[in-house]
Amino acid sequence: MSWGSISIALLTSLSSAASLFMVAAGLTLIFGAMRVINLAHGSLYMYGAFAVATIVGAASGERFWFAVALAPLGVAAVGVLIEVTVMRRVYRRDHLVQLLSTYGISLIMADIALSLWGGSPRSVSAPAILAGAITIAGHTFPEYELFLIGVGLAVGLALWLLLARTPLGWRIRASVEDAELLSVQGTNVRLLYTAVFGLGALLAGIGGALITPVQGVDLGMGDSIIVAAFIVAVIGGLGSIAGAALGALIIAVFEMVGTLWLPSWAPASLYIAMIVVLALKPWGLLGVKDNS
Amino acid sequence: MSSREGKVRRPRELLIRDIHAYYGLSHVLQGVSLAIREGETVAILGRNGAGKTTTMRAVMGLMPVRSGDVVLDGRVVTGRPPYELCRAGIAFVPSGRRVFGSLSVAQNLELASRSVKRRTASAWDRERVEALFPALAGLRNRPAGFLSGGEQQMLKLARALLTNPDILLLDEPTEGLAPTVVQDMGRWLRGLRDEGLGILLAEQNAVFALHLAQRCYVLEKGLIRAEQPAGELLKSEEGLRYLGVARR
Ligand SMILES: Nc1ncnc2c1ncn2[C@@H]1O[C@H](COP(=O)(O)OP(=O)(O)O)[C@@H](O)[C@H]1O
Ligand SMILES: [Mg+2]
């Protein structure tokens, strides 16, 4: 194998890690603060993708950036709606109720998607400025996917800054540790939870919006991403953003290695990675033991 | 009282009137009534499990009050969410190591002062808090989880003050503290009372509480069994024996 094809494989892993990270980060952020696994997270991702496909429509190209800016905000708004109508009623209920609620929401969202957008897949082409490809030792790699890697890094950096440097971020971390204490110190934790859920949805929306030039947009895309994102979040340690980044990289590399050398094992690579990590570190790589 | 000049007004006051609260089916508070005014220190004493913590949690909106009222300055605030009670001027300092361990001392303090806009005449800010607790100034960047028990207690008190309360609810402030720090705690609380804060103190350490308080309530199985001046109880052989205080 040439180093050219290895670099391409690595870059491909990085670009799929970038988009996995954005979705998993939202999932893990929501879990960290509210202790719920949002099974509708994949549906939010799918909505982000369909929103872009709809806005871009036949007029590919110039409308792409507008769509990519708008779609995640719409998805965040849907997230806020879900939080206010359903989620805040189930935070104190047991995990089964929470799982059934979010699963129910994902079914409703799937039906709405079917009636809004129909069953046929859509495709979106990369904007002209990123439509080209770079060449490494005779192998090509799409510029758009380089851009995707950059966005993944930027989102990771932004989340880190948010949590480490801003009072909102401190509040989110404080709510993870002791929400009751935060509330007696004057924070409206209910509102904070709505904001966190909205932020998690925004991340799913960004992930879905940006994946459109890389893969087809269809009704099943949410179901496949939620499994991968969940595994990524679990491997990294549920609740840990840095863990989500690490988990996304591991999964992406595992998938690449599987695809290149053990194609028949590739579909199982996700699960194998999860089993290995959890056997060694039951709370995930960067997770902390949950005492609740 | 230089810090509280201004027009004549009635003193700040928290009234708890006949509150009942349950944990599941168990009737934990069976009609607790008590009153606390600014500038006054009041102790709630009682054996482990008597309902001291639950009383504070119920006042603070952290658990449902089935019947009865919590009244702050004449306004019924029963069942309001905790953040509203905080913003209305009640600070609750729970027992134990309740600090945000992964946040720095400075971030812990910053969160408390940012969440509350109310400004009393003698507003607490970082400088004032660090003047009261000089040790905290040197620990600003330390994660709060790495503080000693005494330092965490300081941080908990500092944080509560930064919300500029009129009434302080303190749950077991001397629990697990070294004797010298218990003395510091007594000094801090006297200072705060002299500034006009009303302090409600739940304590296992009855002697500490009785030396600090003017009045005390004795709670037994969710009922107020006695209310009397602290000095009287301190002299009462029987009362002290009930509270598990050994006479030397
Ligand atoms: N989370 C809880 N669930 C069920 N019962 C509780 C809980 N917390 C306290 N209790 C019960 O409520 C009663 C009062 O407890 P508490 O208010 O903590 O007493 P104190 O602070 O005076 O020691 C006790 O009988 C205790 O067992
Ligand atoms: Mg107690």
Side-chain angles (χ1 to χ4, degrees):
Chain A
M1 241 186 163
S2 72
W3 74 268
S5 63
I6 290 181
S7 344
I8 297 300
L10 272 176
L11 284 173
T12 308
S13 303
L14 284 178
S15 96
S16 88
S19 100
L20 257 180
F21 164 69
M22 290 185 257
V23 182
L27 195 66
T28 213
L29 188 72
I30 289 172
F31 179 84
M34 284 88 84
R35 302 274 129 182
V36 294
I37 301 288
N38 177 24
L39 291 179
H41 205 66
S43 318
L44 292 165
Y45 167 87
M46 171 188 59
Y47 273 39
F50 267 105
V52 167
T54 306
I55 296 171
V56 171
S60 67
E62 69 277 14
R63 262 200 265 170
F64 180 79
W65 297 113
F66 172 68
V68 159
L70 204 62
L73 295 177
V75 173
V78 174
V80 166
L81 185 70
I82 292 173
E83 203 278 342
V84 171
T85 52
V86 181
M87 297 313 295
R88 63 168 54 166
R89 291 167 219 282
V90 302
Y91 292 143
R92 285 157 189 266
R93 307 290 294 277
D94 63 57
H95 288 314
L96 187 61
V97 174
Q98 297 171 349
L99 284 178
L100 287 175
S101 310
T102 58
Y103 182 58
I105 292 167
S106 76
L107 295 180
I108 294 170
M109 287 180 73
D111 268 1
I112 294 175
L114 181 63
S115 63
L116 277 182
W117 296 304
S120 51
R122 320 266 183 110
S123 68
V124 173
S125 44
I129 190 170
L130 294 172
I134 58 161
T135 309
I136 300 174
H139 299 263
T140 59
F141 185 74
E143 280 170 1
Y144 184 83
E145 292 192 36
L146 278 182
F147 164 74
L148 200 55
I149 296 171
V151 173
L153 288 172
V155 165
L157 185 67
L159 281 174
W160 177 78
L161 283 175
L162 172 77
L163 293 172
R165 295 291 167 84
T166 70
L168 173 63
W170 304 339
R171 256 190 201 117
I172 294 172
R173 285 161 60 198
S175 78
V176 172
E177 282 193 46
D178 193 337
E180 190 179 285
L181 187 59
L182 190 63
S183 73
V184 302
Q185 283 175 46
T187 295
N188 183 346
V189 173
R190 215 167 131 107
L191 196 62
L192 181 69
Y193 282 174
T194 306
V196 170
F197 203 89
L199 180 59
L202 180 78
L203 289 167
I206 295 175
L210 290 180
I211 202 71
T212 50
V214 180
Q215 69 179 48
V217 177
D218 63 65
L219 292 173
M221 66 190 293
D223 298 336
S224 43
I225 196 87
I226 185 69
V227 174
F230 180 69
I231 290 176
V232 161
V234 167
I235 286 180
L238 270 169
S240 163
I241 302 283
L246 195 59
L249 281 175
I250 290 175
I251 287 301
V253 170
F254 241 78
E255 274 198 314
M256 171 198 73
V257 171
T259 315
L260 285 183
W261 287 292
L262 293 166
S264 58
W265 281 80
S269 60
L270 272 176
Y271 305 97
I272 295 171
M274 179 165 78
I275 290 166
V276 170
V277 168
L278 293 187
L280 299 173
K281 301 209 73 172
W283 301 100
L285 293 171
L286 301 181
V288 282
K289 192 169 186 299
D290 182 2
N291 296 312
S292 61
Chain B
M1 293 276 132
S2 58
S3 55
R4 295 206 165 238
E5 72 272 7
K7 48 184 179 290
V8 182
R9 51 167 185 73
R10 16 183 246 164
R12 297 274 181 173
E13 177 184 55
L14 174 68
L15 286 177
I16 300 171
R17 285 200 302 236
D18 194 31
I19 56 172
H20 290 251
Y22 291 73
Y23 274 116
L25 290 177
S26 96
H27 193 176
V28 179
L29 298 185
Q30 314 191 356
V32 172
S33 299
L34 51 88
I36 160 142
R37 278 164 215 95
E38 65 180 40
E40 183 184 42
T41 302
V42 175
I44 318 184
L45 304 172
R47 290 172 176 166
N48 205 358
K52 304 182 292 295
T53 300
T54 308
T55 302
M56 291 187 169
R57 292 175 56 81
V59 169
M60 212 55 206
L62 291 172
M63 67 179 292
V65 173
R66 193 74 65 85
S67 67
D69 283 319
V70 179
V71 184
L72 181 66
D73 303 332
R75 194 164 70 93
V76 175
V77 294
T78 325
R80 304 306 304 164
Y83 74 93
E84 275 186 24
L85 291 158
C86 169
R87 292 177 190 181
I90 309 180
F92 174 45
V93 182
S95 64
R97 306 191 140 228
R98 302 274 294 266
V99 293
F100 300 119
S102 74
L103 299 183
S104 70
V105 167
Q107 291 168 340
N108 268 271
L109 295 175
E110 181 79 15
L111 276 193
S113 60
R114 270 178 176 271
S115 308
V116 180
K117 297 286 181 293
R118 77 196 299 269
R119 284 282 166 259
T120 52
S122 56
W124 285 89
D125 55 18
R126 208 186 69 197
E127 283 81 52
R128 261 196 90 196
V129 156
E130 288 183 350
L132 182 60
F133 305 109
L136 287 183
L139 297 167
R140 267 181 218 157
N141 297 320
R142 176 96 43 102
F146 293 138
L147 300 185
S148 72
E151 289 163 349
Q152 287 190 346
Q153 215 61 11
M154 271 185 235
L155 176 58
K156 282 163 58 184
L157 213 48
R159 217 171 41 183
L161 292 174
L162 285 171
T163 67
N164 283 308
D166 296 313
I167 307 279
L168 207 52
L169 310 180
L170 286 175
D171 196 8
E172 309 276 1
T174 67
E175 188 187 21
L177 291 188
T180 56
V181 189
V182 173
Q183 280 182 7
D184 289 341
M185 181 62 72
R187 204 163 37 79
W188 298 328
L189 297 186
R190 270 188 205 95
L192 295 176
R193 180 191 62 202
D194 293 345
E195 295 234 357
L197 251 76
I199 301 175
L200 183 66
L201 197 60
E203 266 292 349
Q204 298 275 339
N205 184 345
V207 172
F208 171 84
L210 289 172
H211 277 109
L212 214 63
Q214 286 97 61
R215 283 186 301 122
C216 68
Y217 296 90
V218 178
L219 199 59
E220 182 180 71
K221 296 189 180 136
L223 275 164
I224 300 285
R225 193 180 108 119
E227 182 203 342
Q228 62 187 140
E232 251 173 52
L233 185 56
L234 208 46
K235 288 193 207 98
S236 141
E237 205 55 59
E238 188 212 342
L240 287 179
R241 200 172 325 112
Y242 171 78
L243 292 168
V245 180
R247 268 281 182 224
R248 278 151 302 178

